[in-house]
């Protein structure tokens, strides 16, 4: 779980330093993180997390694949493929591919939920959605962090057995 905070503080801190240095040189850069750990859904998380990279994948992978313009099945495939590419972008390792695939599957699953559950605007749904979303990211970042899927499985087995 602490890795989840470490990765956020590292990336958010680096982004804030780049934004500040840019301002000193007369450049204005957009915020790159917008309180991602208060997100109430996986979709909401990706709108808040590493915004510049998420925007890149949206603009240069998801939309060229057809985005959501060619029906629900194609949209789902495009989402899944975009997240798989995102996983491979992070590294040529099965852990990154699984990490990307899980995020893609979560996005697809959320898109098939009824709108009131998917948007989670009401307080009771946010109370459930925020910790559930955080748990998903702790789990997937654990897979992201390990050196192999076997190590990830051993890690989770250790948690469940102790």
């Amino acid at each position: 779980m602490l890795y989840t905070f470490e990765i956020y503080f590292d990336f958010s801190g680096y982004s804030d330093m780049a934004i500040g240095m840019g301002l000193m040189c007369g450049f204005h850069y957009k915020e790159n993180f917008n309180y991602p750990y208060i997100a109430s859904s996986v979709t909401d998380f990706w709108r808040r997390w590493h915004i510049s990279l998420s925007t890149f994948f949206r603009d240069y992978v998801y939309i060229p694949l057809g985005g959501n313009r060619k029906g629900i099945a194609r949209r789902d495939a495009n989402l899944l493929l975009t997240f798989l590419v995102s996983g491979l972008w992070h590294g040529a390792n099965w852990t990154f591919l699984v990490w990307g695939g899980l995020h893609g599957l979560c996005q697809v699953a959320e898109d098939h939920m009824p709108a009131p559950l998917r948007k989670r605007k009401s307080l009771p749904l946010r109370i459930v959605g925020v910790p559930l979303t955080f748990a998903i990211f702790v789990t997937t970042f654990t897979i992201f962090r390990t050196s192999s899927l076997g190590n990830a499985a051993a890690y989770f087995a250790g948690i469940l057995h102790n």
Side-chain angles (χ1 to χ4, degrees):
M1 181 167 90
L2 292 178
Y3 179 69
T4 306
F5 289 109
E6 176 189 348
I7 198 168
Y8 169 71
F9 292 140
D10 280 352
F11 285 134
S12 182
Y14 298 150
S15 294
D16 288 344
M17 290 188 319
I19 290 167
M21 288 186 278
L23 284 172
M24 291 189 305
C25 296
F27 298 101
H28 179 74
Y29 298 109
K30 295 179 182 178
E31 285 293 322
N32 203 25
F33 292 87
N34 183 19
Y35 303 101
Y37 292 145
I38 64 165
S40 61
S41 70
V42 174
T43 303
D44 186 26
F45 181 90
W46 282 109
R47 287 186 185 123
R48 298 166 172 268
W49 176 268
H50 209 329
I51 297 165
S52 60
L53 185 62
S54 298
T55 302
F56 173 85
F57 281 112
R58 182 197 67 208
D59 293 348
Y60 294 101
V61 179
Y62 180 71
I63 290 174
L65 287 171
N68 60 3
R69 296 177 306 225
K70 298 186 178 187
I72 293 171
R74 181 72 183 268
R75 177 206 61 201
D76 293 349
N78 292 343
L79 271 172
L80 187 56
L81 186 57
T82 300
F83 275 95
L84 288 170
V85 169
S86 171
L88 286 175
W89 181 88
H90 284 87
N93 190 336
W94 284 108
T95 57
F96 298 120
L97 194 63
V98 168
W99 172 82
L102 289 172
H103 284 273
L105 288 173
C106 285
Q107 289 264 332
V108 168
E110 279 183 3
D111 282 348
H112 288 279
M113 295 171 76
L117 291 175
R118 184 176 61 245
K119 298 195 188 276
R120 296 187 179 133
K121 299 241 183 222
S122 70
L123 184 59
L125 289 176
R126 283 195 60 78
I127 289 171
V128 171
V130 171
L132 178 62
T133 301
F134 186 73
I136 289 168
F137 280 88
V138 168
T139 303
T140 58
F141 277 143
T142 300
I143 296 167
F144 183 92
R145 177 70 174 96
T146 58
S147 60
S148 71
L149 292 177
N151 287 347
Y155 186 83
F156 289 124
I159 290 172
L160 295 173
H161 294 305
N162 289 330

